[in-house]
Amino acid sequence: MNEKVVSGSRNVAIVGPYLSGKTSLLESLLSVTGAVSRKGNVQDRNTVGDSATEARDRQMSVEVNAASTEYGGIRFNFLDCPGSIEFAQETYNALIGVDAAIVVCEPSPDRVLTLAPLFKFLDDWKIPHLLFINKMDRACSGEACHAPAFMDVLHAVKLVSSRPLVPHQYPISRGEELVGFIDLVSEQAYQYHPGAAADPVPLPESLQAEEQAARSEMLEVLADFDDHLLEELLEEINPPEEEILQDLKMDLGADLIVPVFLGVASQDYGVRPLLQALLREAPEPETTAEQRGITLNTPVPLAQVLKTYCSPQAGKLSLVRIWQGSLTDGMSFNGVRAGGLYRMMGQQLQSLTIAQAGDIIAISRLDGVKTGDTLSADTAMTLASELPRAGQLEPVFALAIAPEKRNDEVKISGALVKLLEEDPALAWEQHGDTHEVILWGQGDIHLQVALDRLRRKYNLPMTTHLPQVPYKETIRRATSSHGRYKHQTGGHGQFGDVYLDIRPVDRGAGFRFNETIVGGVVPRQYIPGVEMGVRESLHHGPLGFPVVDVAVTLTNGSYHSVDSSEQAFKQAARIAMQEGMRQCEPTLLEPILAIEISVPTDYTSKILRLVSGRRGQVLGYEAKAGWAGWDRVLAQIPQAEMQDMIVELRSLTLGVGSFHWEFDHLQEVPEKLTERILMTNGNGNGNGNGKAKNGG
């Protein structure tokens, strides 16, 4: 299919908290530019954005969706990103490939805190971004209500944005109805019309003072970066509109400011002015490439994978940003021949024969290529020009999974590999002791979406439960034990005889084996069998869990010149250990995790109580470096208390709290809890202390 000729492109991500209206904004952008003939909505499950089955079932974005449109001779590639914190990895991976981002929020100052992690990522990567305050028609509880609500939101956002806000517009109300806006650059008022462009109207006299104050604030911020504009303001010269627009373009492109717009996406209010601002002020792809250190002085193609899609029917699709050069159908990247080039409109694909630098397209069947990878037709250039990628979020929630049908066990590994290709925020591991397959992710919804994909795409319905806690056991007192193994079979028999000293060692010292044999009472060739028998007996202690922090010494024994063997001494050692361990006062140990919790300062006291309520110990807290208004709380918490920790943490912090954890040490379980654990676990078992790993 032939594409309409355009003079350039802009790549824009649409980001923001869950329920802020991002997908509705994308639908409006596509509608007003003629990219779709009929505008969909989230409730009817017919939007371009939430096109995946898992998204429509939940009426929420669960992955990045790409859509393209043309406006003002420019091709706009929009990436609709999930708002839930559980799918933040999707958003971060996509953001590194755009020229600008639209941050969408509701007119609710109480919810503005949810923008903090997003603003931090945008600021760290120096990604130009605009703020669109959506659903402004709901920002009302009294006469002339929209303007105060607008200013309240601006004030709240200033507290979480390190870049100064520059309001582009000011709302116009009629009673409790939002009827229009004032463009603060041109000082022209406009009246909204549902589904149509706003009409210019006279500026209401009642708002002239407010408009002047808002415009002065806009100009003062711009003057901080433009000495000529500052001189004009000091001399009370009204700067020309062209100069203001040029300052807005330069400052936004340099990520110095955050322009602010308002509207109602579901009614197309404010969407056209937002498009015009993107057209005028958003940086060109060449500018973004230069800021990333890409020189554009070679025709060799260079691209980066922003998202991977996997489908049993369509195969693998890689959404890529082309940084330099042009891509053609049939080209090879990183030594892999591509299956085809496509432009995406949700789940609809349009074939391409060529794509130029600055574009975002999809490439099919790039086997072995993962999200974040750098692509080039020149393998040597790929290695030399590896582009930075978004950091990997650590998993914070886990479920043990098993196929509903036993015959499907052989399919799990391959399906999980494909699942992780599509969603790198997932991880999985299989513990050798319990053989549990553990699926890790960013929260319960995240894992439920992954399980839905396993069922729908790979016909692998799963059963789930919380993973078993990797308890261990140790001993409190020392003892000596004797073990003799004697077995007669008619020919050569089996004989082994050992005396063992068993004693506890310091916590964390592990297992030690020694021998003090003299006189050859146990021949040297049989001692490895004794150690093997001791080690095997520690896999399953008297309480049913692996035994740690024990020292065993072989002190004496006897042998038979014909019937003794290494295997016989191994059995004798196991008998001695089985008898001796019961006399050593076995005690249960639980893993204690070192945890670093990051939360806004206003919530620190709640988090301290949360830690204490989960048998944790607070080690201290301090201001988090690089995060104004945030604290880091250091603590130690039993792993048994961590399984749903992220759920409660997010519920206490508007969803923005997070933590990093690692295994620290083993600690004795309180006696009352020990009884309950032993009753619950029966024979018990352990599953190691290793963290989940990405990939197979």
Side-chain angles (χ1 to χ4, degrees):
M1 182 182 296
N2 293 327
E3 284 204 301
K4 187 175 181 178
V5 177
V6 294
S7 61
S9 62
R10 301 286 190 280
N11 302 297
V12 181
I14 303 175
V15 299
Y18 173 54
L19 294 179
S20 58
K22 300 177 300 299
T23 299
S24 296
L25 177 59
L26 172 64
E27 201 71 16
S28 180
L29 289 165
L30 298 177
S31 176
V32 302
T33 56
V36 294
S37 58
R38 182 178 180 182
K39 183 179 176 183
N41 64 72
V42 174
Q43 290 72 29
D44 291 340
R45 305 181 184 185
N46 60 355
T47 58
V48 173
D50 293 340
S51 53
T53 301
E54 295 79 17
R56 291 185 172 176
D57 287 347
R58 294 170 174 81
Q59 294 192 7
M60 65 179 291
S61 299
V62 299
E63 64 182 358
V64 171
N65 283 278
S68 179
T69 188
E70 184 271 333
Y71 182 76
I74 298 294
R75 176 169 302 285
F76 282 92
N77 295 311
F78 290 108
L79 302 184
D80 182 18
C81 301
S84 169
I85 194 69
E86 297 190 26
F87 300 96
Q89 187 75 61
E90 287 274 314
T91 298
Y92 297 159
N93 290 340
L95 279 172
I96 64 173
V98 300
D99 305 308
I102 304 169
V103 181
V104 185
C105 75
E106 296 179 88
S108 174
D110 295 339
R111 298 286 302 170
V112 162
L113 184 61
T114 59
L115 296 172
L118 187 55
F119 273 129
K120 185 67 168 61
F121 186 90
L122 292 167
D123 292 343
D124 287 347
W125 279 80
K126 296 180 172 58
I127 300 171
H129 48 287
L130 310 87
L131 181 66
F132 183 75
I133 304 177
N134 192 23
K135 304 181 181 179
M136 277 295 294
D137 55 333
R138 303 181 186 178
C140 194
S141 59
E143 186 73 14
C145 51
H146 298 95
F150 178 70
M151 300 308 294
D152 288 345
V153 173
L154 289 184
H155 177 73
V157 175
K158 288 177 183 178
L159 299 178
V160 298
S161 172
S162 65
R163 308 294 194 260
L165 305 185
V166 179
H168 239 284
Q169 301 168 332
Y170 194 83
I172 301 176
S173 300
R174 183 181 298 124
E176 296 188 3
E177 181 185 3
L178 178 70
V179 297
F181 69 95
I182 303 170
D183 184 326
L184 296 179
V185 176
S186 65
E187 297 190 272
Q188 174 64 59
Y190 292 88
Q191 181 175 341
Y192 288 135
H193 297 287
D199 288 335
V201 294
L203 196 155
E205 293 185 9
S206 61
L207 291 179
Q208 288 183 358
E210 288 90 337
E211 184 272 336
Q212 284 298 311
R215 190 171 195 268
S216 296
E217 180 181 349
M218 174 189 70
L219 295 175
E220 287 169 5
V221 172
L222 295 176
D224 289 337
F225 309 103
D226 182 351
D227 291 340
H228 180 262
L229 178 60
L230 178 60
E231 291 178 4
E232 288 180 321
L233 296 182
L234 291 175
E235 296 175 6
E236 297 184 352
I237 298 174
N238 190 22
E241 183 177 334
E242 293 75 15
E243 181 181 357
I244 299 173
L245 291 174
Q246 182 62 27
D247 277 345
L248 287 166
K249 179 178 177 63
M250 293 180 60
D251 295 348
L252 174 62
D255 188 34
L256 297 175
I257 61 172
V258 181
V260 182
F261 297 82
L262 61 93
V264 183
S266 61
Q267 300 184 60
D268 299 340
Y269 291 175
V271 173
R272 289 173 178 83
L274 179 63
L275 268 170
Q276 292 163 7
L278 291 172
L279 188 66
R280 290 190 312 258
E281 301 162 29
E284 293 82 0
E286 297 78 12
T287 302
T288 306
E290 291 172 3
Q291 290 175 341
R292 299 290 176 86
I294 301 171
T295 58
L296 303 175
N297 58 3
T298 171
V300 178
L302 185 68
Q304 187 171 24
V305 181
L306 309 180
K307 164 69 181 171
T308 302
Y309 304 91
C310 292
S311 167
Q313 293 79 28
K316 180 178 178 180
L317 277 176
S318 301
L319 186 70
V320 306
R321 162 71 186 255
I322 308 172
W323 289 105
Q324 71 180 28
S326 59
L327 310 187
T328 57
D329 192 15
M331 184 178 283
S332 293
F333 305 96
N334 298 9
V336 179
R337 183 177 174 85
L341 309 181
Y342 302 92
R343 190 168 304 288
M344 297 188 72
M345 179 67 78
Q347 291 193 330
Q348 301 299 315
L349 301 179
Q350 174 190 341
S351 296
L352 302 174
T353 56
I354 189 170
Q356 305 292 344
D359 211 347
I360 289 181
I361 64 164
I363 306 176
S364 66
R365 298 199 297 275
L366 284 179
D367 295 334
V369 173
K370 298 180 180 179
T371 299
D373 284 356
T374 301
L375 304 179
S376 178
D378 184 339
T379 304
M381 182 178 182
T382 302
L383 297 175
S385 307
E386 185 72 24
L387 296 169
R389 61 182 72 199
Q392 184 72 31
L393 298 178
E394 294 188 35
V396 292
F397 187 79
L399 288 173
I401 63 173
E404 289 183 359
K405 302 174 184 176
R406 190 173 183 84
N407 293 338
D408 287 341
E409 289 182 353
V410 295
K411 297 162 56 177
I412 290 180
S413 179
L416 288 176
V417 168
K418 291 183 179 297
L419 197 66
L420 266 63
E421 269 195 293
E422 193 167 12
D423 186 354
L426 294 169
W428 73 282
E429 61 177 330
Q430 183 168 20
H431 287 298
D433 293 333
T434 65
H435 304 291
E436 279 187 322
V437 175
I438 311 297
L439 184 63
W440 286 89
Q442 297 301 313
D444 184 55
I445 297 176
H446 185 211
L447 293 191
Q448 293 304 323
V449 168
L451 293 169
D452 283 354
R453 285 175 175 158
L454 283 175
R455 174 183 52 79
R456 183 177 60 84
K457 292 186 175 184
Y458 306 105
N459 194 26
L460 269 177
M462 294 286 180
T463 61
T464 66
H465 60 269
L466 290 175
Q468 298 179 39
V469 176
Y471 293 108
K472 300 290 190 291
E473 59 180 276
T474 191
I475 58 176
R476 289 175 172 163
R477 62 182 295 269
T479 192
S480 296
S481 183
H482 173 228
R484 172 175 289 188
Y485 179 70
K486 185 176 182 180
H487 185 66
Q488 198 67 37
T489 60
H492 282 305
Q494 294 289 329
F495 181 83
D497 185 50
V498 298
Y499 290 84
L500 303 177
D501 284 350
I502 308 170
R503 63 183 177 86
V505 295
D506 292 339
R507 189 75 67 244
F511 167 69
R512 301 173 186 170
F513 178 82
N514 297 295
E515 52 87 13
T516 57
I517 296 299
V518 294
V521 293
V522 176
R524 309 302 300 178
Q525 67 267 29
Y526 299 147
I527 292 178
V530 177
E531 181 178 356
M532 187 180 303
V534 170
R535 287 184 179 274
E536 288 183 359
S537 69
L538 297 180
H539 293 166
H540 197 83
L543 302 181
F545 297 91
V547 182
V548 297
D549 302 334
V550 171
V552 178
T553 303
L554 172 64
T555 60
N556 205 347
S558 62
Y559 73 101
H560 189 279
S561 59
V562 176
D563 292 344
S564 287
S565 65
E566 184 177 353
Q567 181 66 25
F569 273 93
K570 173 182 173 181
Q571 294 297 331
R574 296 183 68 171
I575 293 171
M577 289 296 294
Q578 186 175 5
E579 295 297 324
M581 288 294 292
R582 295 194 185 104
Q583 306 168 27
C584 292
E585 295 185 13
T587 184
L588 193 64
L589 300 176
E590 64 179 340
I592 304 298
L593 307 183
I595 181 170
E596 178 182 315
I597 307 172
S598 298
V599 293
T601 303
D602 292 345
Y603 296 97
T604 300
S605 60
K606 291 184 178 181
I607 301 312
L608 299 180
R609 291 194 293 271
L610 171 64
V611 171
S612 300
R614 290 176 175 259
R615 297 193 292 122
Q617 178 184 4
V618 175
L619 304 180
Y621 63 92
E622 61 185 8
K624 185 175 182 179
W627 287 70
W630 283 61
D631 285 339
R632 58 192 290 263
V633 178
L634 303 179
Q636 291 181 347
I637 302 180
Q639 185 171 334
E641 303 289 339
M642 286 288 295
Q643 291 182 322
D644 64 346
M645 172 81 168
I646 190 63
V647 178
E648 187 172 1
L649 174 62
R650 286 173 177 160
S651 70
L652 292 174
T653 60
L654 292 178
V656 298
S658 63
F659 61 74
H660 160 79
W661 65 271
E662 61 183 16
F663 171 76
D664 192 79
H665 66 279
L666 292 170
Q667 180 175 291
E668 287 192 24
V669 178
E671 187 173 343
K672 289 184 177 179
L673 282 178
T674 297
E675 296 175 1
R676 190 175 70 192
I677 292 168
L678 295 180
M679 289 180 61
T680 302
N681 286 267
N683 289 332
N685 45 51
N687 60 359
N689 288 311
K691 276 194 178 184
K693 296 178 176 63
N694 289 90

